[in-house]
């Protein structure tokens, strides 16, 4: 690690928490990580927005650790339990190249907010080694603009969450009361520096839209909290409509967490802030009415489903269903020949 990069880890202020941990000394920050980059899984993923998956799927890399503590996190094994292993710049580059060789439309970097300085260098190394497809930043948005500047001119596609504008809800669910302010600043920065560029890609006579550059802002509806979603869409209408794509998700799913009782008890208490259940038909109808009322320029909305089989298990070589993903690399085995 160069001296310039090391400065970001010796007294860590990378994310808005500014926990001050010396991550170069083998200590874990709030994110659960030292100064190493760890990965759990790399796969071709077909469950993202159509503009991202297109024909070949999104070359998705799941990083270990996270700056938030989302009580309902479906990826809790890697975001909160430390599942994954350290990868060198060389192995990371090879992962990107393998995804590209297998038809990936982009390299989708999931939850890398806590390792931006080091990861930015990894991305440049991989680019020099022959990675030509776009980099896609898949994030909770709990990150600082200073860190995002390190990804400028390297990442071209951005998939930020805007989880809630309620400080109270953010404190209970994410352990980050300042999440709304931090996320709004991050999203505004992304939109400002990455105007939308959408192309058409034809394969076997089938033409699909493909995002080459720009921002797709995701918001997950939380059951029983229609007002929070209405407030979020109001903000997005004023600040993002016509400049970014909106992705409203109705896939909230209770997760069968496997962890010690002390952690489960804290999680259950946090989840009392919402109704921990699937979205119902009445809510789905209300959300559709809300979408119609706002008339966004470009918005995705998922069809309501009670299927929970998509929930991942990162201890499996294939964390998802075979329909959703094709694994290329796993933390327990390395590269796969599937």
């Amino acid at each position: 690690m160069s001296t310039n990069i090391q400065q970001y880890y010796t007294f860590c202020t990378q994310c808005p928490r500014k926990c001050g941990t010396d991550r170069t000394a083998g200590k874990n920050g709030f994110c659960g990580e030292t100064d190493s980059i760890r990965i759990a899984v790399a796969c071709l993923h077909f469950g993202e927005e159509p503009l991202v998956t297109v024909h070949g799927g999104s070359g998705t890399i799941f990083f270990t650790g996270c700056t938030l503590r989302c009580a309902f996190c479906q990826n809790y094994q890697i975001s909160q339990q430390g599942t994954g292993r350290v990868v060198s710049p060389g192995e990371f580059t090879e992962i990107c190249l393998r995804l590209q060789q297998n038809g990936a439309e982009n390299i989708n970097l999931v939850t890398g907010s806590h390792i931006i300085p080091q990861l930015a260098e990894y991305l440049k190394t991989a680019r020099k080694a022959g990675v030509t497809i776009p980099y896609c930043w898949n994030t909770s948005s709990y990150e600082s603009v200073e860190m995002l500047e390190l990804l400028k001119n390297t990442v071209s596609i951005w998939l930020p969450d805007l989880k809630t504008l309620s400080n109270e809800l953010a404190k209970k669910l994410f352990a980050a009361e300042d999440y709304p302010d931090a996320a709004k600043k991050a999203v505004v920065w992304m939109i400002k520096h990455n105007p939308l560029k959408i192309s058409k890609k034809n394969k076997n006579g089938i033409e699909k839209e493909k995002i080459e550059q720009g921002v797709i802002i995701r918001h997950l509806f939380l059951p029983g909290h229609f007002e929070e979603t209405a407030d979020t869409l109001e903000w997005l209408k004023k600040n993002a409509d016509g400049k970014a794509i909106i992705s409203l998700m109705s896939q909230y799913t209770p997760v069968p967490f496997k962890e010690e009782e002390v952690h489960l008890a804290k999680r259950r208490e946090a989840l009392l802030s919402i109704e921990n259940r699937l979205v119902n038909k009445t809510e789905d109808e209300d959300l559709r009415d809300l979408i119609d009322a706002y008339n966004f320029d470009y918005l995705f909305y998922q069809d309501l489903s009670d299927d929970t089989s998509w929930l991942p298990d990162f201890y499996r070589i294939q964390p998802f269903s075979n329909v959703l993903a094709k694994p290329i690399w796993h933390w327990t085995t390395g590269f796969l020949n599937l």
Side-chain angles (χ1 to χ4, degrees), residues 78-95:
I78 59 175
S79 64
Q80 299 170 17
Q81 292 187 337
T83 300
R85 73 164 171 83
V86 175
V87 293
S88 66
E91 187 171 16
F92 177 82
T93 293
E94 184 60 27
I95 289 171

Side-chain angles (χ1 to χ4, degrees), residues 100-120:
Q100 180 172 276
Q101 291 160 8
N102 278 271
E105 305 284 354
N106 44 66
I107 302 297
N108 190 338
L109 308 157
V110 181
T111 318
S113 304
H114 55 294
I115 47 173
I116 289 178
Q118 185 80 319
L119 183 53

Side-chain angles (χ1 to χ4, degrees), residues 223-235:
H225 281 265
F226 183 82
E227 290 302 322
E228 272 77 13
T229 288
D231 290 344
T232 301
L233 290 183
E234 176 74 23
W235 187 89

Side-chain angles (χ1 to χ4, degrees), residues 12 15-23 27-34 65-70 79-80 114 142 171 173-176:
C12 190
C15 85
R17 292 186 192 279
K18 303 186 184 302
C19 70
T21 303
D22 183 359
R23 293 167 61 188
K27 296 179 180 179
N28 295 333
F30 182 92
C31 59
E33 297 302 300
T34 64
C66 186
T67 59
L68 293 181
R69 285 285 187 274
C70 294
S79 64
Q80 299 170 17
H114 55 294
Y142 192 59
K171 180 179 181 179
L173 287 176
F174 316 142

Side-chain angles (χ1 to χ4, degrees), residues 76-196:
Y76 76 102
Q77 292 167 325
I78 59 175
S79 64
Q80 299 170 17
Q81 292 187 337
T83 300
R85 73 164 171 83
V86 175
V87 293
S88 66
E91 187 171 16
F92 177 82
T93 293
E94 184 60 27
I95 289 171
C96 292
L97 289 171
R98 293 283 186 97
L99 289 167
Q100 180 172 276
Q101 291 160 8
N102 278 271
E105 305 284 354
N106 44 66
I107 302 297
N108 190 338
L109 308 157
V110 181
T111 318
S113 304
H114 55 294
I115 47 173
I116 289 178
Q118 185 80 319
L119 183 53
E121 294 304 307
Y122 275 37
L123 296 177
K124 292 173 185 175
T125 298
R127 185 68 83 206
K128 291 177 182 177
V131 175
T132 58
I133 55 179
Y135 290 128
C136 175
W137 192 251
N138 193 330
T139 173
S140 71
S141 303
Y142 192 59
E143 49 207 357
S144 71
V145 169
E146 177 189 8
M147 290 297 102
L148 294 178
E149 288 282 349
L150 300 180
L151 298 170
K152 195 175 179 180
N153 302 321
T154 300
V155 170
S156 54
I157 303 170
W158 302 77
L159 298 182
D161 289 339
L162 189 56
K163 296 176 182 289
T164 182
L165 298 185
S166 165
N167 297 95
E168 181 181 0
L169 201 59
K171 180 179 181 179
K172 292 177 179 178
L173 287 176
F174 316 142
E177 186 175 5
D178 61 337
Y179 172 83
D181 291 336
K184 285 188 290 186
K185 289 177 183 176
V187 168
V188 167
W189 181 94
M190 293 173 194
I191 293 173
K192 178 181 178 181
H193 295 285
N194 298 275
L196 280 171

Side-chain angles (χ1 to χ4, degrees), residues 22-319:
D22 183 359
R23 293 167 61 188
T24 66
K27 296 179 180 179
N28 295 333
F30 182 92
C31 59
E33 297 302 300
T34 64
D35 60 350
S36 298
I37 289 182
R38 296 201 296 149
I39 293 173
V41 172
C43 63
L44 293 177
H45 201 294
F46 298 91
E48 306 284 38
E49 287 80 0
L51 284 169
V52 179
T53 57
V54 200
H55 294 288
S58 185
T60 309
I61 300 175
F62 291 87
F63 295 97
T64 307
C66 186
T67 59
L68 293 181
R69 285 285 187 274
C70 294
F72 51 81
C73 182
Q74 68 194 45
N75 296 343
Y76 76 102
Q77 292 167 325
I78 59 175
S79 64
Q80 299 170 17
Q81 292 187 337
T83 300
R85 73 164 171 83
V86 175
V87 293
S88 66
E91 187 171 16
F92 177 82
T93 293
E94 184 60 27
I95 289 171
C96 292
L97 289 171
R98 293 283 186 97
L99 289 167
Q100 180 172 276
Q101 291 160 8
N102 278 271
E105 305 284 354
N106 44 66
I107 302 297
N108 190 338
L109 308 157
V110 181
T111 318
S113 304
H114 55 294
I115 47 173
I116 289 178
Q118 185 80 319
L119 183 53
E121 294 304 307
Y122 275 37
L123 296 177
K124 292 173 185 175
T125 298
R127 185 68 83 206
K128 291 177 182 177
V131 175
T132 58
I133 55 179
Y135 290 128
C136 175
W137 192 251
N138 193 330
T139 173
S140 71
S141 303
Y142 192 59
E143 49 207 357
S144 71
V145 169
E146 177 189 8
M147 290 297 102
L148 294 178
E149 288 282 349
L150 300 180
L151 298 170
K152 195 175 179 180
N153 302 321
T154 300
V155 170
S156 54
I157 303 170
W158 302 77
L159 298 182
D161 289 339
L162 189 56
K163 296 176 182 289
T164 182
L165 298 185
S166 165
N167 297 95
E168 181 181 0
L169 201 59
K171 180 179 181 179
K172 292 177 179 178
L173 287 176
F174 316 142
E177 186 175 5
D178 61 337
Y179 172 83
D181 291 336
K184 285 188 290 186
K185 289 177 183 176
V187 168
V188 167
W189 181 94
M190 293 173 194
I191 293 173
K192 178 181 178 181
H193 295 285
N194 298 275
L196 280 171
K197 292 182 182 178
I198 298 173
S199 63
K200 298 288 181 76
K201 184 174 182 181
N202 191 298
K203 183 177 181 181
N204 300 325
I206 300 174
E207 188 174 76
K208 294 184 177 181
E209 287 188 320
K210 176 178 179 177
I211 185 169
E212 303 283 356
Q213 176 184 288
V215 184
I216 300 176
I217 305 167
R218 293 168 162 173
H219 174 71
L220 176 66
F221 170 70
L222 300 175
H225 281 265
F226 183 82
E227 290 302 322
E228 272 77 13
T229 288
D231 290 344
T232 301
L233 290 183
E234 176 74 23
W235 187 89
L236 289 172
K237 183 66 179 179
K238 292 178 180 177
N239 295 278
D241 192 26
K243 297 178 285 187
I245 295 166
I246 311 304
S247 181
L248 179 58
M249 301 182 292
S250 60
Q251 67 182 29
Y252 182 92
T253 305
V255 178
F257 295 103
K258 297 178 181 178
E259 55 191 350
E260 295 179 2
E261 179 58 32
V262 62
H263 299 303
L264 276 174
K266 290 181 180 179
R267 197 180 294 280
R268 284 194 293 264
E269 182 178 357
L271 288 172
L272 291 175
S273 305
I274 58 174
E275 296 177 21
N276 189 31
R277 55 167 174 78
L278 296 173
V279 176
N280 61 42
K281 291 183 179 180
T282 299
E283 289 170 323
D284 176 63
E285 292 171 358
D286 289 343
L287 288 172
R288 291 178 183 276
D289 288 343
L290 189 62
I291 292 169
D292 289 342
Y294 277 116
N295 190 29
F296 281 95
D297 185 57
Y298 205 142
L299 180 143
F300 290 111
Y301 181 64
Q302 295 171 310
D303 289 330
L304 193 64
S305 173
D306 59 2
D307 178 22
T308 63
S309 63
W310 58 269
L311 285 171
D313 182 351
F314 291 96
Y315 289 103
R316 298 194 312 245
I317 300 298
Q318 169 55 293

